[in-house]
Amino acid sequence: VFVYEEEVDGQWIQKFTNGALYVPVGFRTVYSEAPVWSEFSPIYQGELKELTTDEGLTFSYITGENLATLVKGDINLLRNKDLIIPSQIEADGRMRYVKSIAKGAFRYAQVKSLVIEPGIEIIEDEIFWNANSSYWKNLIIPEGLTTIGESAFRYCYSLKCLELPSTLTTIKDNAFGSDNRIKRVVVHMELPCTINDNMFDETVFASATLFVPIGSKEAYKNAAVWQNFSAIVILGDVDGDGDVDQKDIDAIADHITGNTPPDFDENAADINGDDKVNATDIAMIVNIINNTK
């Protein structure tokens, strides 16, 4: 009843549907133990409903579950606005955890800025495809997120700074393709995940700086595609000794007072990417040091 045919190596084979099953609240165990019905994955309890907020964000949720998905945004309401994607919403008197953003949710959205709250785990394909805006220059992907879909941020020409979390394991094709103004890519993954060479435009590899965690520089220099970056730097390693410590703080302090050391790396010292080296960067470098202890 629930099979479909798919061609594999020239032969048609039957596969069980990859669709979800929705059952009455309280009956998930019954269905998960029943012949054939148990083959569905996932099995949800309750009805599938939608909620649209005053900000123009539409979420889908299941009445008997705690999860929700951000389905789409109203690009007219969001034009030139600061967009915050929440990790929780309240629907039917119950908190729902937003774990994913659906495919194409914000195509062509001209937002002023974007904040994705920690808790989102999956960004599907093409969510911000061609969502270009002269205002939107910085993109920070929060900790906890594991997957960035295909062409998720493709044609976002105004992006200049990109920050990727330590939890990221999958970045699909053209995720940041044609975003050729990117000058700064900060990664917090100690080990580089596998990417294809179309993840970034060729000009990004040539002109952008890749900032990596302490102890990870050699791994990125030897990793396929990541090694294409012409500049790979440890964020905060101002003196280039491969570590981030008090000497780097002292070097920034000297630079601020006009006594710049000869081996000073201004790129590594600009921790927050605002094209300035100041006391804010000292505070941030202290956090880097404390987080490595």
Side-chain angles (χ1 to χ4, degrees):
V1 175
F2 300 112
V3 298
Y4 67 98
E5 289 189 337
E6 183 176 289
E7 187 176 8
V8 179
D9 296 329
Q11 294 188 354
W12 289 92
I13 63 173
Q14 288 191 337
K15 291 188 174 182
F16 194 80
T17 179
N18 56 8
L21 175 65
Y22 298 83
V23 303
V25 176
F27 284 84
R28 181 173 13 223
T29 300
V30 174
Y31 279 86
S32 65
E33 295 176 353
V36 183
W37 297 104
S38 61
E39 296 185 44
F40 276 93
S41 180
I43 300 176
Y44 294 122
Q45 299 185 102
E47 299 175 68
L48 182 64
K49 290 187 174 182
E50 285 192 350
L51 167 72
T52 300
T53 67
D54 293 339
E55 293 77 22
L57 304 181
T58 298
F59 299 85
S60 67
Y61 65 96
I62 303 155
T63 54
E65 306 285 349
N66 291 326
L67 300 178
T69 297
L70 176 51
V71 178
K72 62 182 178 181
D74 187 324
I75 63 174
N76 294 317
L77 286 179
L78 294 172
R79 185 177 299 277
N80 297 332
K81 298 289 181 63
D82 296 315
L83 171 59
I84 299 175
I85 296 180
S87 58
Q88 296 183 51
I89 62 164
E90 184 175 349
D92 291 339
R94 180 175 178 177
M95 293 304 299
R96 320 274 174 172
Y97 297 97
V98 182
K99 296 295 184 181
S100 61
I101 307 173
K103 179 177 180 179
F106 296 96
R107 279 195 192 102
Y108 303 108
Q110 306 294 305
V111 298
K112 185 176 181 180
S113 66
L114 171 66
V115 173
I116 303 174
E117 290 188 352
I120 307 291
E121 296 177 358
I122 298 173
I123 292 175
E124 297 286 0
D125 300 348
E126 301 177 9
I127 64 156
F128 275 95
W129 189 86
N130 208 7
N132 191 41
S133 168
S134 59
Y135 296 106
W136 183 26
K137 302 184 187 307
N138 302 316
L139 174 60
I140 298 176
I141 305 295
E143 287 294 319
L145 193 133
T146 63
T147 304
I148 299 177
E150 184 174 339
S151 298
F153 296 93
R154 193 176 187 183
Y155 302 122
C156 295
Y157 296 114
S158 61
L159 287 181
K160 289 187 176 180
C161 300
L162 170 65
E163 189 166 340
L164 303 175
S166 65
T167 50
L168 190 60
T169 59
T170 303
I171 310 175
K172 297 184 180 179
D173 285 357
N174 285 304
F176 302 95
S178 301
D179 301 351
N180 52 16
R181 295 185 183 178
I182 293 177
K183 298 298 181 186
R184 177 185 177 92
V185 180
V186 180
V187 296
H188 295 288
M189 304 94 73
E190 292 186 355
L191 295 176
C193 61
T194 300
I195 59 173
N196 290 331
D197 57 9
N198 60 13
M199 174 179 165
F200 294 110
D201 189 84
E202 289 183 4
T203 58
V204 174
F205 289 117
S207 60
T209 300
L210 175 65
F211 295 92
V212 301
I214 299 170
S216 298
K217 186 173 181 178
E218 288 304 312
Y220 280 89
K221 287 177 68 175
N222 294 317
V225 183
W226 293 104
Q227 64 185 220
N228 294 344
F229 278 92
S230 59
I232 302 178
V233 175
I234 297 173
L235 187 64
D237 181 19
V238 177
D239 57 10
D241 66 354
D243 202 359
V244 180
D245 50 27
Q246 183 62 46
K247 290 186 295 182
D248 297 298
I249 296 175
D250 295 339
I252 294 178
D254 289 341
H255 174 76
I256 293 173
T257 58
N259 300 309
T260 303
D263 55 358
F264 186 79
D265 186 336
E266 194 162 346
N267 266 338
D270 182 16
I271 310 298
N272 60 0
D274 63 355
D275 296 325
K276 301 174 184 177
V277 178
N278 51 32
T280 301
D281 296 300
I282 291 179
M284 297 183 74
I285 208 170
V286 169
N287 287 334
I288 292 175
I289 294 171
N290 289 338
N291 289 336
T292 58
K293 291 181 178 178

